[in-house]
Amino acid sequence: MLDIKFDLTKEPKEKPQGPLGFGKIFTDHMFIMNYTEGKGWHDPRVEPYHEISLEPSAMVFHYGQEMFEGLKAYRGDDGKAFLFRPDMNAKRAIRSNERLCIPTIPEEDFVQAIKAVVNVDRDWIPTEPGTSLYIRPFIIATDPILGVAPSKTYLFIIILSPSGAYYSSGLAPVGIWIEDDYVRAVRGGLGYAKTGGNYAASLAAQVKAHDDGYEQVLWLDGVERKYIEEVGSMNIFFKIDGKIVTPMLSGSILPGITRDSVITLCKDWGYEVEERLISVDELLDAQKSGKLEEVFGTGTAAVISPVGKLRFGNEVMVIGDGTIGEVSQKLYDTVTGIQTGAIPDERGWRVEVN
Ligand code: COI
């Protein structure tokens, strides 16, 4: 258990009015904790949100030794604040840290730190439909040394951002570009870890896709460039001939918490759910024979995001009629309903901040 010190601001900022966007506004406070080899994680504290100062030689700037997480807080009518499955983020953070040689943080401490800072800034949790307080925990390597080696010092920081929908189109279906040149990750690489490098690797293809009018990139496997992996900021699901199909966790894709929740819900609702290899050719065939019924992405930031169009080379697969599909809508309503408390949480996914 962390012994967290609190230094609260005397000059609270104005809360935002109007549309929030995603990740643009930050609250009054942040959590911060240091790591020093031989001493472990130490000095956990909640402080006014502030700039941090690092030496230009800090390892994170050169070799990208860093990890991050993403989760959200919601506020009930009674003023209570809730998180969605924070234990899953804490467990995934441990796996990312291990992959990146960053010292791990015990699950209970990770969740305690999140609760501590969210509790202090609970008035910042927006309550308009489709909004939440996005929570961004991250760890950076701070040794001021240019040799390539694991750092001996780190900072663990949590910042909070009142946010709206990740995509400006909200629940309108997005267009996705299937990338057949660049790859995001390979098995044995960093694909399953939540680390900045995976997102840096995605930018060139994202720019290409945007230039062509597509919102996001769908990655293929790094070896054969044949099998579907994930989208830049979400996992991907298909409804093919009545079955729910999603790429299996092969090591090169992110084990999404919304992905896991969607699989559980679909199974509970009686759908056959397959986690397996899915080739682009299978998708093209399914689309041509009218069996590709729905496509949607899942992610903490994106929640459930319907896909209306997939482009691969010269082929453009149009999915549905330009509106959100039935299963995608039901999943969106159920996931957000559980998160906000609008529908009962039978699985213990909603965790109160206290
Ligand atoms: C999240 O969904 O929380 C993510 O981390 C995706 C992000 C890159 C916006």
Side-chain angles (χ1 to χ4, degrees):
M1 173 126 176
L2 299 174
D3 181 15
I4 303 175
K5 302 277 181 296
F6 290 83
D7 167 20
L8 303 190
T9 184
K10 290 171 190 66
E11 291 170 22
K13 293 184 276 201
E14 291 257 318
K15 308 268 186 319
Q17 310 288 333
L20 294 167
F22 177 81
K24 295 182 177 157
I25 298 159
F26 298 93
T27 65
D28 282 327
H29 297 92
M30 62 198 264
F31 173 89
I32 182 160
M33 174 161 79
N34 299 69
Y35 178 91
T36 311
E37 195 178 65
K39 199 168 169 188
W41 288 106
H42 60 93
D43 291 312
R45 57 218 187 259
V46 171
E47 295 178 342
Y49 182 94
H50 60 81
E51 292 178 356
I52 53 171
S53 151
L54 294 177
E55 293 210 26
S57 54
M59 281 183 167
V60 64
F61 296 136
H62 306 276
Y63 309 123
Q65 199 195 6
E66 76 95 41
M67 61 73 66
F68 72 95
E69 268 301 323
L71 69 162
K72 287 174 171 174
Y74 308 83
R75 192 150 49 115
D77 294 339
D78 49 8
K80 287 183 181 163
F82 293 89
L83 305 171
F84 185 70
R85 309 187 74 185
D87 54 305
M88 297 280 283
N89 295 89
K91 289 189 180 92
R92 187 171 62 186
I94 290 173
R95 293 195 299 273
S96 298
N97 286 7
E98 285 171 349
R99 179 64 183 83
L100 290 149
C101 293
I102 295 172
T104 57
I105 297 176
E107 185 181 322
E108 316 70 61
D109 293 356
F110 191 89
V111 174
Q112 185 196 349
I114 291 170
K115 285 182 173 176
V117 64
V118 171
N119 200 21
V120 164
D121 278 343
R122 66 167 61 213
D123 288 353
W124 281 84
I125 305 175
T127 51
E128 289 292 305
T131 64
S132 59
L133 185 71
Y134 185 77
I135 304 166
R136 173 54 61 88
F138 63 102
I139 301 176
I140 52 174
T142 53
D143 272 6
I145 300 173
L146 295 184
V148 179
S151 181
K152 294 182 170 50
T153 59
Y154 298 85
L155 282 177
F156 172 42
I157 298 175
I158 305 172
I159 53 175
L160 310 173
S161 175
S163 292
Y166 186 68
Y167 297 114
S168 51
S169 56
L171 265 187
V174 292
I176 292 209
W177 167 289
I178 305 179
E179 174 60 38
D180 54 3
D181 183 12
Y182 296 117
V183 298
R184 171 188 174 271
V186 289
R187 285 184 205 171
L190 293 177
Y192 71 88
K194 208 152 172 62
T195 184
N198 286 332
Y199 297 81
S202 76
L203 297 177
Q206 187 176 310
V207 168
K208 207 164 66 166
H210 278 181
D211 287 348
D212 229 58
Y214 288 80
E215 274 96 341
Q216 284 278 314
V217 172
L218 176 59
W219 298 101
L220 298 179
D221 75 277
V223 179
E224 295 183 66
R225 292 184 203 172
K226 181 172 164 191
Y227 296 104
I228 305 290
E229 297 244 302
E230 68 173 82
V231 179
S233 54
M234 32 184 212
N235 295 113
I236 188 96
F237 283 76
F238 305 94
K239 181 163 173 261
I240 304 176
D241 201 16
K243 288 184 198 161
I244 306 297
V245 189
T246 192
M248 66 203 186
L249 297 179
S250 56
S252 53
I253 72 173
L254 193 80
I257 294 158
T258 314
R259 175 188 182 278
D260 182 83
S261 310
V262 160
I263 291 173
T264 303
L265 289 169
C266 287
K267 284 185 179 165
D268 286 357
W269 294 339
Y271 284 104
E272 210 174 307
V273 180
E274 294 179 349
E275 292 177 72
R276 61 169 171 83
L277 287 176
I278 308 160
S279 67
V280 187
D281 289 342
E282 176 183 348
L283 285 188
L284 288 166
D285 289 347
Q287 203 259 345
K288 283 185 185 130
S289 60
K291 292 184 178 159
L292 184 57
E293 294 156 4
E294 283 185 47
V295 182
F296 56 91
T298 66
T300 297
V303 195
I304 308 293
S305 179
V307 175
K309 199 166 66 166
L310 286 165
R311 167 259 168 219
F312 182 61
N314 295 326
E315 306 254 13
V316 177
M317 298 176 248
V318 175
I319 298 113
D321 60 2
T323 61
I324 182 167
E326 196 186 322
V327 178
S328 316
Q329 182 74 60
K330 186 169 171 193
L331 283 165
Y332 179 83
D333 292 343
T334 308
V335 171
T336 55
I338 296 171
Q339 288 170 335
T340 58
I343 57 179
D345 169 27
E346 293 158 7
R347 298 169 191 82
W349 286 348
R350 206 164 172 250
V351 174
E352 190 178 342
V353 175
N354 49 21

